[in-house]
Amino acid sequence: MRTLAGRIASTTARRVALPTMRLVIARCSVDYAGRLTAHLPSAPRLILVKADGSVSIHADDRAYKPLNWMSPPCTLKEGDGEQQDVWTVTNKGGEKLIITMEEILHDSSHELGVDPGLIKDGVEAHLQELLADRIETLGEGYTLIRREYMTAIGPVDILCRDAEGGTVAVEIKRRGEIDGVEQLTRYLDLLNRDPHLAPVRGIFAAQEIKPQARVLATDRGIGCQVLDYDAMRGIEDDKLRLF
């Protein structure tokens, strides 16, 4: 166990730009100052500083959603003048996440490398191929931009345009669950930073979409599309015939 004084001494008032994942377990309190204000009282928590610059605060009571977070681009400043025990995370909008450290229990960094992303099973890969070939399944006037549209965090299954010319990102699953919606949300956040594509809306497409995933998608403005795999395979098309 290390005391706060010993840990902060080497990081005073410096900006952190780590090409690694950093994991910090600390007793801390957290304050968010922005459009709203929020306060987390003192407790042991996990702080993740990711290579993309994002910072998130986690408790040991949920699988996927942090207590508070700051999405990139943002800066992390450790220590400020007399307040050596304060981390300040600031995003481009000037919002701040202020983490007051009481005791650091663990601090380590790990280089994870490039993540290959989720590997689709045969059905999901075939659904992607079929939907790209018959993009009008999503609606009249849809046109394909490309399959496997690469981003910095992995490939978007399908990128297309709707009848009005708007950009649409499609995430395809065999079974649509919350983690798929989260994945599409991350893609949309990134794609909407590209002025050549923005605004980009999302469609979550699957053979079956769980109610919780549908609720989360709707809350985030993401459309849902149930795919009938058998019907799509049964459409007459020479490209789908083996003989």
Side-chain angles (χ1 to χ4, degrees):
M1 183 182 296
R2 284 176 287 177
T3 63
L4 179 64
R7 174 66 186 91
I8 294 294
S10 62
T11 59
T12 301
R14 64 181 176 89
R15 293 192 181 276
V16 178
L18 294 173
T20 57
M21 169 80 79
R22 183 177 176 189
L23 296 86
V24 178
I25 298 176
R27 179 173 291 279
C28 62
S29 60
V30 184
D31 291 278
Y32 169 78
R35 289 166 293 180
L36 302 172
T37 58
H39 174 71
L40 296 174
S42 175
R45 297 189 175 94
L46 169 65
I47 304 167
L48 294 183
V49 183
K50 293 187 177 181
D52 65 2
S54 62
V55 178
S56 55
I57 316 295
H58 299 260
D60 191 21
D61 69 340
R62 59 195 68 200
Y64 67 94
K65 189 173 182 180
L67 296 167
N68 217 325
W69 67 93
M70 196 70 80
S71 299
C74 59
T75 58
L76 166 59
K77 187 175 181 181
E78 296 182 30
D80 186 12
E82 297 297 321
Q83 293 184 303
Q84 302 301 312
D85 57 347
V86 175
W87 289 15
T88 303
V89 187
T90 308
N91 68 10
K92 63 180 180 180
E95 298 169 309
K96 293 184 178 182
L97 197 62
I98 301 168
I99 308 169
T100 302
M101 301 291 191
E102 297 174 14
E103 183 180 21
I104 292 180
L105 308 173
H106 174 86
D107 189 347
S108 63
S109 296
H110 308 272
E111 186 174 347
L112 301 184
V114 178
D115 191 279
L118 294 174
I119 305 299
K120 293 188 176 295
D121 63 22
V123 172
E124 288 183 7
H126 198 200
L127 277 170
Q128 183 191 112
E129 180 183 349
L130 288 168
L131 187 57
D133 193 49
R134 298 178 178 81
I135 198 66
E136 66 277 1
T137 301
L138 298 175
E140 186 177 353
Y142 274 70
T143 57
L144 179 69
I145 296 176
R146 67 171 298 173
R147 289 173 54 196
E148 299 286 337
Y149 185 89
M150 187 56 65
T151 74
I153 58 173
V156 177
D157 287 337
I158 289 178
L159 197 68
C160 58
R161 295 196 185 279
D162 60 23
E164 288 73 41
T167 311
V168 182
V170 185
E171 180 62 28
I172 300 170
K173 299 293 182 187
R174 184 165 57 87
R175 172 181 290 185
E177 301 191 54
I178 284 177
D179 58 351
V181 179
E182 293 286 354
Q183 184 182 5
L184 180 54
T185 300
R186 293 192 293 271
Y187 287 143
L188 290 171
D189 181 64
L190 200 61
L191 291 168
N192 273 300
R193 298 179 202 172
D194 186 339
H196 300 292
L197 297 175
V200 184
R201 64 183 180 89
I203 293 178
F204 188 49
Q207 287 180 277
E208 172 193 4
I209 299 177
K210 295 294 185 180
Q212 299 92 331
R214 189 179 290 275
V215 169
L216 181 61
T218 301
D219 181 67
R220 295 183 177 181
I222 294 171
C224 292
Q225 178 89 24
V226 175
L227 301 176
D228 188 331
Y229 182 44
D230 291 334
M232 292 172 73
R233 286 190 300 170
I235 297 174
E236 290 294 327
D237 192 321
D238 290 339
K239 286 182 284 187
L240 295 181
R241 293 177 183 171
L242 297 178
F243 305 100

